[in-house]
Amino acid sequence: MLKTYQYPRFDYVQTEEQLTGADKTHPVAIVGAGPVGLTAALDCASRGIPVVVFDDNDTVSVGSRAVCYAKRPLEIWDRLGCGDRMVAKGVDWQVGKVFFQDQLSYSFDLLPEPGHKMPAMINLQQYYLEEYLVDECLRQPDLIKLHFKHRVLSVQQEDGAVQLAVETPDGIFHTGCRWLIACDGANSDVRKMLGAKFVGQFFQDRFLIADVVMKADFPPERWFWFDPPFNRGQSTLLHRQPDDVWRLDFQLGWDADPVEETKPENIIPRVKAMLGDDREFELEWASVYQFACRRIDSFRHGHVLFAGDSAHQVSPFGARGANTGIQDVDNLAWKLKLVLDGRAPESLIDTYHEERAYAADDNIKNSTRSTDFISPKSRSSRFFRDAVLELAESHDFARPLVNSGRLSTPTPYKHSSLNTPDSDEFAGAMHPGTNCSDAPIQVGGRPDWLLSQLGDDFTVLHVDDSSGSDPIRWQELEAKVVSVPGDVGDPEGLLAERFDLKLGTTYLIRPDQHVAARWRRFDNERIQAAMATATAWEQPGEAR
């Protein structure tokens, strides 16, 4: 029954500096070839930035590890050319069920509306994800240089650049970069080298992950139990992955011995108690984890930028770890491009911390609340939790209070300094700072998706009213212009509905597909001012 994943081994390739001994300053270097580092490389390359990636390993993640990937990261990967492959292999799902003891408490739907290209969530083993990202990087050898078995030993900053000492099987060499992106995980060596603070809360709970291979006809849903008969006083989670692999997650309690709990003779009785003695299965991978909710003091330390787990940690409840890290680099790459090209001042990079630290704090808050609900620390907290779960079975008002891990959703940059103040003329959720909702459209009479028209650079989305939208004036903008209905059609009306479009409505959309500004009429001067704001150029006395 057991289908064993064949871990790829990536070649050790010397850098140009190693081969020639010449000094080299890369525009961008990345430390860490996990999901976040590889995505950072692809996003930089998509914008024409050459990058070099250093990783001390030569294969993908061992074990399935992170498995849940949300709609927004899937949209980002789709823009980078590998989203379809992930969705094709992954198990997509949108329904979750919450059980209290042996009774269904309630269920929820992550994507109750139609008209989105990407699913609400997929489950996919991290090793597949990384393999697909590496494959995509290798297809771009002129822009992305992957160097495995390269361990960064030291990081020094001087004169607006970063100098690295790198250890390889052939010895140590030195190289430089204008910007370094540290994606080297929760135990980041780069963070330690810079002495950056990384503070927060550790949780005194231990959990067992057991990935088992079995044939089962359970639907592709997220099932979460509070106090089930097979794990009394604790919680348990069930998820389906590709290849008939199922993720089981058992809360153990703080006093559990992590070494003993990962022994097969102790895991198998737990699984049988949950699935039944007659269910055939094989154990693929197991791990015991403890987690923390914490973040770095600043996402920017000079010309070193932190992303993913090197910048923040959350509990696994809600799938906020890797999903949040992918959104970090989505926020960063376009800003680096504008700064490197001289189209924006270096102060634009400061807004990376402003926006992503805000998002990290939001995720930490939600993650902490989930943990407190799942594992109450006092008698009164447990009484409240159990009462909520019982009421949720038959009372709608109690269901929003159930928190088995609120699933990852993007954090809008509501108060970002890059936003232009919003108009009160609009309805709907697409206010400045929000990532654009997808919608089915037509381009040249053929079906397409809105997000496929966004993300290369700044984009002006405009409903042509044949008044203030003179194409000659559009040429003055350093932005792509997408007119409705001239460039794109809205056959189902979902684009107009989600963006509250009317004649003359104009949106300015950032290169990361977030709304920067919106108005009810086209105004070239206001668009220019909003673009200056969104690129951190100061605009004296400009009314917006």
Side-chain angles (χ1 to χ4, degrees):
M1 181 194 301
L2 184 61
K3 177 183 177 182
T4 304
Y5 175 75
Q6 300 299 314
Y7 287 88
R9 291 289 175 183
F10 304 120
D11 292 340
Y12 162 68
V13 179
Q14 289 185 318
T15 64
E16 180 182 339
E17 301 94 303
Q18 289 173 274
L19 291 170
T20 66
D23 292 335
K24 180 80 174 181
T25 300
H26 301 274
V28 173
I30 298 168
V31 181
V36 177
L38 293 168
T39 302
L42 288 170
D43 208 343
C44 287
S46 76
R47 302 184 188 284
I49 305 173
V51 296
V52 57
V53 182
F54 298 122
D55 193 279
D56 60 2
N57 206 341
D58 66 348
T59 188
V60 295
S61 165
V62 176
S64 61
R65 298 173 67 85
V67 297
C68 296
Y69 301 101
K71 180 175 179 289
R72 181 58 196 150
L74 291 171
E75 292 170 344
I76 294 167
W77 285 319
D78 190 48
R79 174 171 60 81
L80 300 177
C82 45
D84 285 342
R85 187 178 181 189
M86 295 172 181
V87 172
K89 179 64 176 179
V91 174
D92 67 90
W93 63 276
Q94 65 191 68
V95 173
K97 292 180 179 176
V98 178
F99 300 87
F100 181 40
Q101 297 177 356
D102 56 357
Q103 297 294 318
L104 176 64
S105 182
Y106 86 111
S107 62
F108 58 86
D109 191 333
L110 293 176
L111 192 62
E113 63 180 17
H116 295 264
K117 179 181 180 181
M118 289 291 118
M121 193 81 70
I122 67 167
N123 290 346
L124 180 68
Q125 293 92 321
Q126 186 171 323
Y127 46 72
Y128 279 125
L129 183 91
E130 291 183 13
E131 180 183 345
Y132 299 165
L133 291 170
V134 169
D135 287 348
E136 192 63 33
C137 288
L138 293 175
R139 278 192 274 270
Q140 304 180 56
D142 293 338
L143 286 169
I144 302 175
K145 307 295 185 185
L146 293 181
H147 293 288
F148 296 97
K149 306 300 287 186
H150 282 64
R151 181 187 175 204
V152 174
L153 295 178
S154 70
V155 175
Q156 302 291 330
Q157 299 195 66
E158 55 185 44
D159 300 326
V162 184
Q163 301 301 318
L164 307 175
V166 184
E167 181 182 45
T168 76
D170 294 319
I172 297 173
F173 73 96
H174 295 82
T175 189
C177 59
R178 291 183 62 184
W179 296 94
L180 177 69
I181 307 176
C183 306
D184 53 340
N187 296 314
S188 169
D189 287 332
V190 175
R191 190 181 63 234
K192 295 171 186 175
M193 292 172 195
L194 295 185
K197 293 182 180 178
F198 195 55
V199 297
Q201 178 183 1
F202 277 92
F203 288 87
Q204 292 190 338
D205 288 291
R206 286 196 172 102
F207 294 79
L208 168 70
I209 290 174
D211 280 357
V212 301
V213 182
M214 66 177 180
K215 297 290 185 181
D217 56 0
F218 306 141
E221 300 173 346
R222 178 187 190 263
W223 289 357
F224 192 99
W225 287 266
F226 290 95
D227 192 19
F230 48 82
N231 195 20
R232 279 297 183 198
Q234 308 291 0
S235 63
T236 305
L237 177 68
L238 172 70
H239 260 309
R240 182 176 184 171
Q241 303 175 63
D243 304 332
D244 292 319
V245 177
W246 295 79
R247 162 64 56 85
L248 312 180
D249 196 327
F250 298 92
Q251 185 178 6
L252 300 176
W254 175 241
D255 57 351
D257 184 331
V259 175
E260 288 296 315
E261 293 293 347
T262 52
K263 292 180 178 178
E265 61 265 31
N266 292 323
I267 296 174
I268 290 172
R270 284 187 180 276
V271 176
K272 285 187 174 181
M274 178 181 182
L275 301 176
D277 288 336
D278 57 347
R279 174 78 63 179
E280 292 186 5
F281 66 89
E282 294 184 47
L283 183 64
E284 183 186 65
W285 177 72
S287 177
V288 170
Y289 66 89
Q290 180 191 0
F291 56 84
C293 288
R294 53 183 181 164
R295 77 161 171 86
I296 198 169
D297 54 354
S298 176
F299 282 49
R300 177 185 179 185
H301 280 251
H303 278 235
V304 180
L305 306 161
F306 292 87
D309 286 352
S310 71
H312 46 75
Q313 279 183 278
V314 292
S315 79
F317 309 123
R320 297 174 181 275
N323 287 306
T324 302
I326 302 308
Q327 292 168 78
D328 288 344
V329 297
D330 178 57
N331 183 279
L332 176 60
W334 69 274
K335 296 175 180 178
L336 284 174
K337 173 63 174 176
L338 292 180
V339 171
L340 287 167
D341 287 355
R343 290 177 57 195
E346 192 172 301
S347 59
L348 178 62
I349 304 300
D350 292 330
T351 69
Y352 171 58
H353 169 79
E354 175 193 347
E355 294 183 333
R356 293 313 298 165
Y358 174 76
D361 290 342
D362 181 58
N363 278 293
I364 288 171
K365 176 185 69 177
N366 281 284
S367 182
T368 301
R369 288 175 176 174
S370 295
T371 302
D372 289 342
F373 192 87
I374 291 168
S375 182
K377 301 300 185 291
S378 67
R379 184 177 178 182
S380 58
S381 295
R382 180 175 289 275
F383 180 82
F384 169 78
R385 187 202 71 179
D386 292 353
V388 165
L389 291 167
E390 289 179 353
L391 288 168
E393 292 181 28
S394 54
H395 294 82
D396 290 343
F397 80 88
R399 290 168 186 169
L401 301 175
V402 176
N403 192 343
S404 65
R406 302 272 163 77
L407 274 298
S408 176
T409 56
T411 300
Y413 310 137
K414 294 180 180 179
H415 309 294
S416 171
S417 62
L418 302 185
N419 295 344
T420 291
D422 200 12
S423 167
D424 58 7
E425 300 176 69
F426 283 90
M430 292 296 102
H431 50 74
T434 303
N435 64 291
C436 289
S437 178
D438 205 1
I441 60 172
Q442 284 187 344
V443 178
R446 297 182 178 179
D448 208 331
W449 296 94
L450 173 65
L451 294 185
S452 70
Q453 303 300 308
L454 311 175
D456 297 332
D457 207 328
F458 281 95
T459 300
V460 174
L461 179 68
H462 172 62
V463 182
D464 191 359
D465 62 354
S466 301
S467 57
S469 53
D470 184 349
I472 295 176
R473 302 192 73 190
W474 288 353
Q475 295 173 11
E476 301 172 11
L477 297 172
E478 286 190 81
K480 174 183 178 181
V481 177
V482 175
S483 65
V484 183
D487 296 315
V488 302
D490 184 18
E492 299 179 36
L494 292 176
L495 175 60
E497 176 185 323
R498 289 170 187 172
F499 287 77
D500 190 22
L501 298 183
K502 300 176 181 177
L503 287 177
T505 298
T506 304
Y507 277 78
L508 176 64
I509 299 169
R510 303 178 352 176
D512 60 356
Q513 301 177 336
H514 282 65
V515 175
R518 60 182 179 177
W519 309 270
R520 279 304 185 195
R521 63 183 179 88
F522 182 94
D523 187 309
N524 188 283
E525 291 183 1
R526 286 192 172 190
I527 295 172
Q528 296 280 19
M531 285 188 64
T533 297
T535 52
W537 289 112
E538 294 185 4
Q539 286 290 299
E542 176 61 46
R544 291 183 260 142

